[in-house]
């Protein structure tokens, strides 16, 4: 019997707001002393009234629109009741049957093929605190308690760990593009729960799933799903088809999932409408206003770069990865009308240095305007490509000097004076009778050698097109 994996993801992404979801506490607790960003609201003291953070709702709506979701004109918050020591209220404020948004999708590239992944819903909720287990017991830090989250629930459309990771990366790019979340996995701003089940190929029904909780890197997401598929394949092979859903954890050290509990169903949480928060009405006009704030998204950018600029898929993907980088590239293209040269300077020369120095595009000295000038100097034949990519770029990158100033100060201008080039060509021809005979005899390879010698003679500053032309004329 051939089995296929049915995978769905819940992605929790921290919303990039200044304050928490329902109180005015600072939302940035990274690296801070435990329990300093707290107040009676996010500590769940009796009698405290939560108030909705408008920015969190707006950023949620914009992310939902970027994920092609519909925004119903009515949504409400609900209490999800459960006891856990990191949750001081004894419940989480989430959205149950009437969430902020529903019915979206994301197109994901998997091995060069486009796959559409459905999004069931994106809803808002607040986060719990954090437990640290030490030998003497457990410590709790409530700084994260009340942090705004968006939970993005996919349809069970994914069929492999690789597809799940590609989908999760695309969602990360999108929420970053619209600035709804920084989605920095290393700071715990984005985490995944993955539901995995198997079924015989051809069947429509879904079998009970295992939900793997709290995966906090793309690597563990893939490894945990792969492990869980193998584990369930063995169960099926032994005739032990799963009969009820389970919740499992992932042990990074052992590379295995482990049983946590029978999976809770929604009835276990005794959901009821949150009495302290009024429902939200979001009109069609408001949605249209938010939609206008959604920029062109990475998928559309990649396609446009290939279609309009003639880039290859890899270059387009690298540039569209980050909105700031994409904007930089587009600015250079606007200044030069030369996307091919722009991409060769940005993706090879500049990106190599940024990767080496672990810098982002907006943390370095070569602005888009400066890069545009450099590309134009090459395009107009004023400096050679080699000189531009080595000496000139180096000085720009290290010291923030404009390309034209570097060229002027170092005397790097390309020589297009035919007299000087002719003189160098004659000298090279006289000194290399062998290769010259080869060219006359029709061996075209030798011409490359002679061009190289002339360029060397002229310290790399000769216009290579003119060198080839003059050499050809002189030899024949
Ligand atoms: Zn608070």
């Amino acid at each position: 019997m051939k089995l296929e994996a049915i995978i769905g993801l819940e992605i929790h992404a921290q919303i990039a707001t200044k304050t928490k979801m329902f109180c005015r506490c600072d939302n940035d607790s990274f690296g801070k002393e435990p329990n300093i960003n707290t107040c009676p609201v996010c500590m769940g003291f009796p009698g405290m009234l939560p108030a909705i953070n408008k920015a969190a709702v707006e950023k949620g709506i914009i992310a939902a629109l970027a994920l092609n979701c519909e925004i119903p004109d009515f949504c409400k918050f609900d209490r999800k009741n459960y006891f856990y020591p990191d949750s001081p209220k004894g419940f989480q404020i989430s959205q149950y049957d009437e969430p902020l948004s529903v019915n979206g999708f994301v197109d994901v590239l998997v091995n060069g093929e486009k796959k559409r992944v459905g999004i069931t819903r994106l809803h808002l909720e607040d986060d719990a605190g954090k437990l640290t287990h030490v030998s003497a017991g457990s410590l709790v830090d409530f700084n994260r308690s009340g942090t705004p989250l968006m939970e993005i629930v996919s349809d069970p459309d994914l069929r492999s760990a690789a597809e799940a990771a590609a989908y999760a990366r695309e969602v990360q790019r999108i929420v970053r593009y619209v600035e709804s979340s920084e989605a920095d996995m290393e700071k715990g701003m984005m985490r995944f729960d993955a539901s995995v089940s198997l079924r015989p190929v051809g069947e429509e029904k879904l079998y009970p799933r295992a939900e793997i909780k709290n995966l906090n890197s793309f690597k563990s997401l893939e490894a945990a799903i792969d492990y869980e598929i193998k584990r369930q394949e063995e169960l099926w092979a032994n005739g032990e088809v799963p009969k009820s859903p389970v919740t499992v954890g992932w042990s990074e050290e052992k590379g295995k999932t482990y049983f946590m509990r029978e999976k809770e169903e929604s009835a276990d949480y005794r959901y009821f409408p949150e009495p302290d928060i009024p429902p939200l009405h979001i009109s069609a006009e408001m949605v249209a206003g938010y939609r206008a704030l959604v920029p062109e998204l990475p998928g559309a950018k990649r396609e446009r770069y290939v279609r309009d600029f003639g880039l290859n898929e890899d270059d387009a993907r690298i540039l569209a990865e980050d909105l700031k980088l994409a904007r930089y590239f587009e600015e250079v293209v606007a200044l030069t009308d030369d996307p091919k040269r722009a991409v060769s300077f940005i993706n090879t020369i500049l990106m190599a240095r940024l990767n080496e120095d672990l810098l982002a595009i907006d943390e370095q000295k070569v602005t888009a305007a400066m890069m545009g000038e450099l590309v134009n100097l090459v395009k107009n034949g004023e400096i050679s490509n080699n000189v531009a990519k080595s000496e000139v770029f180096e000085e720009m990158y290290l010291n923030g000097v404009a390309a034209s100033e570097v060229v002027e100060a170092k005397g790097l201008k390309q020589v297009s004076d035919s007299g000087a080039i002719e003189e160098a060509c004659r000298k090279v021809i006289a000194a290399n009778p062998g290769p010259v005979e080869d060219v006359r005899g029709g061996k075209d390879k030798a011409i490359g050698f002679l061009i190289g010698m002339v360029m060397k003679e002229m310290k790399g500053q000769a216009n290579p097109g003119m060198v080839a032309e003059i050499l050809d004329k002189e030899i024949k």
Side-chain angles (χ1 to χ4, degrees):
M1 177 170 36
K2 202 166 155 26
L3 295 167
E4 66 176 345
I6 309 297
I7 303 161
L9 281 197
E10 287 178 11
I11 300 180
H12 290 90
Q14 191 173 314
I15 304 177
T17 51
K18 287 200 178 66
T19 57
K20 292 186 181 180
M21 188 73 218
F22 300 113
C23 64
R24 294 210 171 111
C25 287
D26 190 347
N27 191 29
D28 178 14
S29 292
F30 187 72
K32 293 198 178 136
E33 195 185 317
N35 297 310
I36 58 164
N37 283 336
T38 57
C39 73
V41 173
C42 58
M43 289 299 291
F45 283 22
M48 289 299 122
L49 279 180
I52 302 181
N53 180 341
K54 186 180 176 197
V57 176
E58 291 179 330
K59 290 192 173 216
I61 293 173
I62 291 170
L65 291 172
L67 296 167
N68 302 297
C69 290
E70 298 158 18
I71 314 287
D73 61 4
F74 178 90
C75 77
K76 66 178 175 65
F77 288 88
D78 301 273
R79 286 191 183 178
K80 182 180 183 181
N81 296 281
Y82 65 95
F83 175 77
Y84 205 65
D86 63 6
S87 170
K89 300 194 293 293
F91 58 86
Q92 179 185 28
I93 303 178
S94 182
Q95 298 190 291
Y96 178 51
D97 52 347
E98 295 191 85
L100 180 75
S101 66
V102 294
N103 285 336
F105 65 86
V106 174
D107 287 330
V108 181
L109 271 184
V110 188
N111 300 327
E113 302 250 326
K114 200 194 265 187
K115 180 184 170 103
R116 179 157 292 188
V117 181
I119 292 182
T120 315
R121 56 194 278 159
L122 177 154
H123 69 248
L124 303 172
E125 58 189 28
D126 63 353
D127 207 349
K130 212 189 250 171
L131 287 177
T132 307
H133 305 287
V134 294
S135 56
S138 293
L139 302 170
V140 63
D141 173 10
F142 289 114
N143 280 349
R144 202 178 69 185
S145 171
T147 284
L149 295 179
M150 45 192 174
E151 178 173 327
I152 302 161
V153 183
S154 84
D155 295 340
D157 288 346
L158 302 157
R159 294 290 173 270
S160 69
E163 281 187 14
Y167 161 76
R169 282 181 196 279
E170 192 69 10
V171 170
Q172 183 192 43
R173 277 182 210 110
I174 290 171
V175 297
R176 283 180 168 171
Y177 253 60
V178 297
E179 294 175 347
S180 288
S181 174
E182 290 175 45
D184 186 337
M185 315 263 324
E186 281 172 13
K187 292 186 182 168
M189 289 173 172
M190 191 167 159
R191 13 187 235 277
F192 314 117
D193 299 336
S195 285
V196 180
S197 64
L198 302 181
R199 75 176 168 201
V201 172
E203 275 192 33
E204 286 294 314
K205 113 176 208 211
L206 295 174
Y207 287 79
R209 62 198 167 124
E211 185 179 44
I212 316 166
K213 290 301 248 188
N214 264 326
L215 298 162
N216 52 20
S217 72
F218 293 111
K219 205 177 127 226
S220 52
L221 173 69
E222 280 199 73
I225 291 174
D226 273 334
Y227 177 85
E228 193 52 37
I229 291 173
K230 271 206 205 88
R231 186 185 74 83
Q232 293 185 28
E233 276 170 351
E234 278 169 28
L235 291 178
W236 278 77
N238 297 333
E240 300 164 24
V241 177
K243 287 193 178 57
S244 57
V246 291
T247 299
V248 301
W250 169 247
S251 163
E252 198 75 60
E253 299 79 51
K254 294 182 186 150
K256 287 181 173 179
T257 58
Y258 57 90
F259 178 80
M260 289 169 80
R261 53 185 182 260
E262 294 290 318
K263 182 150 177 43
E264 43 306 85
E265 296 301 322
S266 62
D268 297 328
Y269 290 117
R270 304 292 189 266
Y271 278 101
F272 64 86
E274 166 60 60
D276 292 337
I277 300 176
L280 296 177
H281 290 275
I282 302 163
S283 68
E285 292 77 47
M286 286 166 78
V287 172
Y290 292 123
R291 197 181 296 279
L293 299 175
V294 177
E296 184 185 34
L297 294 169
K301 271 198 195 300
R302 287 191 297 260
E303 282 174 17
R304 182 163 63 85
Y305 290 174
V306 170
R307 185 185 63 232
D308 294 358
F309 294 156
L311 304 193
N312 64 43
E313 299 273 358
D314 275 344
D315 282 333
R317 183 179 49 75
I318 292 167
L319 290 166
E321 185 72 26
D322 167 48
L323 184 59
K324 285 182 182 144
L325 179 62
R327 287 194 172 139
Y328 184 98
F329 166 68
E330 288 178 29
E331 204 177 325
V332 176
V333 172
L335 291 166
T336 60
D337 194 24
D338 193 342
K340 288 268 170 66
R341 274 206 178 88
V343 82
S344 96
F345 274 82
I346 296 170
N347 278 11
T348 54
I349 308 300
L350 178 59
M351 292 294 282
R353 292 304 295 264
L354 296 183
N355 289 339
E356 245 170 60
D357 297 341
L358 298 175
L359 290 175
I361 189 75
D362 55 345
E363 295 170 335
Q364 51 88 39
K365 299 189 176 103
V366 185
T367 62
M370 288 165 71
M371 185 59 97
E373 189 194 24
L374 179 65
V375 171
N376 276 333
L377 287 174
V378 177
K379 187 183 169 192
N380 301 335
E382 289 178 55
I383 54 176
S384 73
N385 196 45
N386 283 343
V387 165
K389 284 184 173 168
S390 53
E391 281 179 85
V392 182
F393 173 76
E394 201 58 21
E395 188 62 21
M396 292 168 71
Y397 183 80
L398 292 177
N399 300 315
V401 185
S404 52
E405 284 173 42
V406 182
V407 171
E408 196 65 41
K410 297 197 167 186
L412 296 172
K413 223 172 179 147
Q414 181 161 275
V415 178
S416 296
D417 163 11
S418 57
I421 298 175
E422 268 166 24
E423 200 187 311
C425 286
R426 286 190 195 121
K427 215 163 148 188
V428 167
I429 288 168
N432 298 280
V436 171
E437 273 318 301
D438 288 346
V439 174
R440 289 199 178 114
K443 289 188 189 160
D444 288 340
K445 265 190 189 159
I447 194 79
F449 168 77
L450 294 171
I451 291 173
M453 295 305 287
V454 176
M455 292 302 282
K456 203 171 157 195
E457 181 73 26
M458 299 199 63
K459 302 193 171 63
Q461 285 165 246
N463 178 325
M466 287 181 69
V467 171
E469 208 174 291
I470 293 171
L471 261 180
D472 189 63
K473 204 166 66 194
E474 292 286 325
I475 291 174
K476 287 169 186 166

